[in-house]
Amino acid sequence: MKPMFQVYDVGSGIDLTLGDDNEAIPRCKVAVKTLLQVFKSLASIERSVETCDINLDGEQCRLIFQLKCKHSITKTHHLTFQECESLQAVFAKDLSPNVLTCENKLLSDVVVNFSSGLEEITMNVTPCKVVLKSYSDDDNDEMAQLMKTEVSLSPDEFSEFQIGVDTDITFCLKDMRAILAFCEVAAMPINLHFEVGGKPIVFSLVHEDYFRANFVLATIASDSNSQHSNATANFTTNTTNRSQIKRSISNSSKSKLPKTNSKHLRKSQAQGHKTLPQAKDKISADEMDCNVSDHKISPEIPLQSENEVNVTEYKGFSSLEEPCFKKVKSVFFAPSQYEQLNYTRTVLAPDSDSEDGT
Amino acid sequence: MVLRSQTVDEDFALNACIENARNVSHILKAIHFKDTATIFATENGLKVTVEDSKCIQANAFIQDQVFQEYSIRDEALTFQINLDILQECLSIFGSTNSATSMRMMYNGYGTPLVLTLEEDGAVTDCSIKTMEPDDILDFEFSAANVVDKIIMKAECLREAFNEMDVTSEVLQITMSPHPPHFRLATFGLLGQSHHDIPKDSDMVEFFECNETQSNKYRLNLLKPSVKAVNLASKVCVRIDHRGFLSLQFMIKNENGQICFVEYYCCPDEEFNEPTCTK
């Protein structure tokens, strides 16, 4: 790797070959806002700065940036810093069973579809495709319950696509957006290394000439997913055929669900109906898709049981046979009248062993 | 409003006409940080003054040569006017490529300032109430007392002012015969920053400094001068023996004529210093 710095002097007495555990290496942290102040106006920096000297003055406790500009002008910034212990993320990037490499534009175009307030995103990978969907673990967050977004990507979109373990992995979308913004500036492809939920996901970027960047994000452990996603029921609109509005209502379709799913559903009902917005009032036989019996109605309720890794099999869509190439499926759900939730529901296909007696 | 005909004009105490009203509004932008301004009209032209907190004063000089016609009956006329309204009237036709011509008339104490603006055949009459002028601060800044002086191209000061650390309460200006010759320093939450301009820089046209002087000025008071820096082509920074700061900005208008804008600011006193009372 070529050196990024023209002069790099860490002072005598520090043996760089000892690695990160070397106590003698000074470690400090600087507020990002403070650092950004130095590089406030990028346009003027590109235009006028000739060299930048960075010095760590231990005695005065200042990190000094001296920018020498054209016309002999000098800008000096003495920034305060704090000493700290560095966090070491425990991860073995090279041992990750799942590796994806793509241009940053691909992921940037994908994340643009998700609402800006969304905190976390779930990535579901199988050898056939990669699906990114919005994630919400906050039952009280009505906005999150109202709209869920999903985007599917095919393996062709990636320059490297290696999936050793099918998995759902959930991590912070905001962090991902920041990483993608950096990749755009660096104009480099991005690599994702990950295993399963609970283990870190690493976004890495190598600029051959100057730097390597590893962004390690924590992910939500997969067993906690199941409790959160039970609560929502939703209906999907197939973007190609509006008449096939499928409503998967947990009560009425219970009988058609495979056993494992119905257990989860009952559990969710026992927990309370507060987050079961279900637009049952408008159901008629016409609207129910006659193809229902042919398909496994799996949940548009995104259950994350161990038996079901691929929650979104989309078997409810008649156009399943086509591979999903980067299709944006915006799943919209909104109760038309909230008050009616408490009214007696018309159950079209009651479960014979129904507990709630409706 | 009645359109005033040419023949009535000689009766006015002040009568000025300009082909491009932007030449006036452009200069006034550089001092527009308060809503009222005091206008002094003399035979040499107009001086528009804006003040704040009794600590900072900005003056814009629009010489009579900038106007196509300029006549004044009395020695000097003074009145106070709402600068927001004046600027709005001057740009009443919006920002277009064609020039708006303006006639400005004032008939002495108690009368309104009348503006007639014309662009492409459309004519607007504005009558703006004038007010009793408040006393203007006299900073007693004389050229004889100037200790340090530097004239430089506005670009370098523009960068410095625009990048300044806004969390700093003060701006310290240090001028010295030794390097760094001219230093702008801020002390903010982020740390200390210096912007140094040496006297031999090619941006500096004139540098005179006899003794090292370092003075602090409230950054929020100097903030309005950023407007002037952005419009100027050259800046002259002068500090007198009391530490009072004078910033003079040379601003070129669309016709290439030069107008000057001046800012005076008094230094920030350190409260922990013992003060001598007489």
Side-chain angles (χ1 to χ4, degrees):
Chain A
M1 203 175 240
K2 283 190 219 164
M4 184 156 171
F5 304 95
Q6 287 168 332
V7 173
Y8 191 86
D9 179 5
V10 292
S12 55
I14 294 181
D15 186 355
L16 287 173
T17 57
L18 289 178
D20 285 339
D21 291 336
N22 190 346
E23 299 270 324
I25 296 178
R27 292 174 213 279
C28 60
K29 61 182 177 185
V30 179
V32 174
K33 272 194 188 147
T34 307
L35 208 48
L36 286 177
Q37 174 70 14
V38 177
F39 303 103
K40 202 171 185 176
S41 164
L42 278 180
S44 78
I45 286 180
E46 281 175 31
R47 209 176 39 223
S48 58
V49 174
E50 289 171 355
T51 63
C52 174
D53 292 348
I54 307 175
N55 284 301
L56 185 66
D57 187 344
E59 284 162 46
Q60 302 284 327
C61 295
R62 291 285 184 272
L63 180 63
I64 304 168
F65 282 81
Q66 192 173 59
L67 300 165
K68 294 201 172 101
C69 311
K70 282 189 195 159
H71 313 293
S72 319
I73 293 172
T74 311
K75 299 181 203 180
T76 316
H77 300 268
H78 299 255
L79 309 178
T80 51
F81 63 80
Q82 296 170 302
E83 295 204 355
C84 68
E85 292 292 318
S86 57
L87 277 179
Q88 289 294 332
V90 176
F91 67 96
K93 191 176 83 179
D94 300 324
L95 300 179
S96 304
N98 298 332
V99 179
L100 300 174
T101 302
C102 62
E103 291 301 316
N104 70 83
K105 191 172 186 321
L106 173 71
L107 291 177
S108 306
D109 288 348
V110 165
V111 301
V112 125
N113 292 300
F114 292 85
S115 75
S116 50
L118 186 65
E119 301 231 345
E120 283 139 356
I121 192 171
T122 300
M123 186 162 70
N124 171 289
V125 293
T126 64
C128 307
K129 60 179 184 249
V130 173
V131 178
L132 288 125
K133 26 185 205 214
S134 48
Y135 175 83
S136 163
D137 65 349
D138 184 354
D139 293 346
N140 295 326
D141 185 357
E142 286 189 3
M143 271 308 294
Q145 305 302 334
L146 282 176
M147 181 167 90
K148 292 197 190 303
T149 310
E150 292 178 19
V151 179
S152 299
L153 297 170
S154 87
D156 298 350
E157 313 258 13
F158 297 88
S159 52
E160 186 181 339
F161 188 86
Q162 174 194 310
I163 300 295
V165 174
D166 290 3
T167 187
D168 275 317
I169 190 164
T170 303
F171 50 88
C172 181
L173 178 59
K174 275 190 191 161
D175 292 341
M176 186 177 173
R177 286 191 213 266
I179 296 168
L180 292 173
F182 175 75
C183 294
E184 196 180 315
V185 171
M188 301 299 303
I190 186 167
N191 308 297
L192 283 72
H193 304 256
F194 54 102
E195 193 179 337
V196 290
K199 298 253 168 86
I201 177 169
V202 181
F203 290 77
S204 76
L205 186 59
V206 177
H207 190 299
E208 285 163 14
D209 292 348
Y210 297 116
F211 63 85
R212 267 187 284 249
N214 288 324
F215 299 90
V216 185
L217 301 184
T219 64
I220 294 179
S222 50
D223 53 355
S224 64
N225 284 345
S226 55
Q227 287 163 10
H228 301 301
S229 44
N230 282 352
T232 54
N234 46 34
F235 66 82
T236 64
T237 56
N238 184 329
T239 50
T240 57
N241 190 347
R242 287 204 166 263
S243 62
Q244 284 188 348
I245 295 176
K246 189 164 298 314
R247 295 171 202 218
S248 91
I249 296 115
S250 48
N251 280 349
S252 60
S253 59
K254 242 195 295 186
S255 56
K256 298 181 181 62
L257 292 169
K259 270 262 158 84
T260 46
N261 291 347
S262 61
K263 276 192 200 138
H264 285 282
L265 285 171
R266 281 192 206 134
K267 185 177 154 197
S268 75
Q269 285 173 0
Q271 285 165 0
H273 293 284
K274 59 176 160 57
T275 52
L276 281 174
Q278 295 171 22
K280 293 191 182 184
D281 47 317
K282 297 267 164 66
I283 297 160
S284 66
D286 299 335
E287 286 172 306
M288 281 293 282
D289 191 337
C290 301
N291 291 332
V292 155
S293 52
D294 298 335
H295 303 278
K296 203 163 70 173
I297 296 186
S298 75
E300 320 306 343
I301 299 164
L303 292 170
Q304 305 293 340
S305 66
E306 294 80 289
N307 297 339
E308 294 194 342
V309 177
N310 298 335
V311 170
T312 53
E313 285 185 4
Y314 301 108
K315 295 218 173 134
F317 291 105
S318 54
S319 57
L320 177 66
E321 303 317 314
E322 305 156 17
C324 322
F325 286 115
K326 222 189 213 177
K327 252 202 281 195
V328 177
K329 298 184 181 78
S330 289
V331 176
F332 178 77
F333 180 94
S336 55
Q337 281 168 36
Y338 191 75
E339 303 80 72
Q340 291 187 11
L341 290 179
N342 298 326
Y343 294 0
T344 310
R345 290 172 279 244
T346 310
V347 177
L348 295 167
D351 197 345
S352 53
D353 53 345
S354 159
E355 281 176 5
D356 54 13
T358 48
Chain B
M1 297 301 304
V2 175
L3 278 178
R4 300 187 193 276
S5 63
Q6 294 282 16
T7 52
V8 188
D9 294 340
E10 287 88 49
D11 290 320
F12 283 90
L14 168 67
N15 192 337
C17 181
I18 193 168
E19 274 172 9
N20 189 351
R22 274 200 295 272
N23 288 343
V24 173
S25 60
H26 192 63
I27 306 296
L28 294 180
K29 229 191 279 189
I31 59 164
H32 191 182
F33 58 91
K34 285 293 249 190
D35 52 12
T36 48
T38 307
I39 299 185
F40 300 89
T42 64
E43 57 184 9
N44 294 326
L46 298 178
K47 177 172 103 151
V48 185
T49 303
V50 179
E51 268 182 12
D52 190 13
S53 317
K54 299 279 182 207
C55 292
I56 182 155
Q57 182 184 87
N59 299 304
F61 298 92
I62 308 172
Q63 301 101 297
D64 56 325
Q65 293 101 323
V66 174
F67 296 93
Q68 272 63 55
E69 276 175 44
Y70 187 89
S71 72
I72 185 164
R73 197 177 58 202
D74 305 324
E75 281 254 339
L77 294 164
T78 310
F79 56 90
Q80 197 165 331
I81 196 163
N82 187 314
L83 192 54
D84 291 342
I85 296 177
L86 178 59
Q87 282 286 69
E88 277 202 35
C89 291
L90 288 172
S91 45
I92 203 157
F93 286 108
S95 50
T96 55
N97 287 328
S98 48
T100 309
S101 70
M102 176 194 77
R103 179 169 291 279
M104 179 190 285
M105 290 163 289
Y106 176 67
N107 209 8
Y109 184 80
T111 63
L113 179 72
V114 177
L115 301 176
T116 306
L117 294 118
E118 189 258 329
E119 184 186 295
D120 290 342
V123 179
T124 306
D125 260 336
C126 310
S127 173
I128 309 173
K129 278 203 188 102
T130 58
M131 297 172 271
E132 190 76 41
D134 288 335
D135 287 333
I136 293 296
L137 284 175
D138 180 3
F139 280 75
E140 292 175 4
F141 197 99
S142 74
N145 294 330
V146 168
V147 172
D148 301 326
K149 179 172 169 180
I150 180 171
I151 300 179
M152 66 180 107
K153 294 215 178 72
E155 290 97 64
C156 51
L157 209 59
R158 200 173 300 160
E159 257 187 41
F161 273 39
N162 286 320
E163 290 173 6
M164 213 161 277
D165 180 2
V166 293
T167 62
S168 172
E169 283 192 5
V170 293
L171 170 68
Q172 183 177 47
I173 300 183
T174 307
M175 282 183 72
S176 165
H178 319 290
H181 303 107
F182 180 80
R183 169 176 281 189
L184 297 168
T186 51
F187 310 89
L189 298 173
L190 315 170
Q192 206 183 57
S193 294
H194 305 148
H195 194 104
D196 298 336
I197 304 174
K199 68 176 180 188
D200 51 358
S201 163
D202 49 1
M203 296 294 246
V204 175
E205 294 185 8
F206 179 89
F207 182 84
E208 185 194 339
C209 179
N210 300 317
E211 58 180 77
T212 303
Q213 268 231 31
S214 187
N215 293 291
K216 291 188 178 174
Y217 305 92
R218 296 241 128 219
L219 199 57
N220 55 349
L221 289 178
L222 281 181
K223 265 271 146 204
S225 63
V226 175
K227 285 195 187 51
V229 168
N230 288 335
L231 294 170
S233 50
K234 275 196 206 165
V235 182
C236 172
V237 182
R238 298 180 302 166
I239 300 178
D240 76 357
H241 64 289
R242 303 165 298 172
F244 276 59
L245 173 70
S246 151
L247 295 168
Q248 286 177 324
F249 302 94
M250 189 171 96
I251 299 177
K252 278 206 179 109
N253 65 17
E254 286 177 17
N255 294 1
Q257 292 160 316
I258 292 170
C259 292
F260 285 94
V261 168
E262 194 168 48
Y263 272 75
Y264 289 118
C265 190
C266 51
D268 203 34
E269 292 287 328
E270 302 258 330
F271 287 108
N272 51 3
E273 277 178 307
T275 49
C276 317
T277 49
K278 269 201 175 159

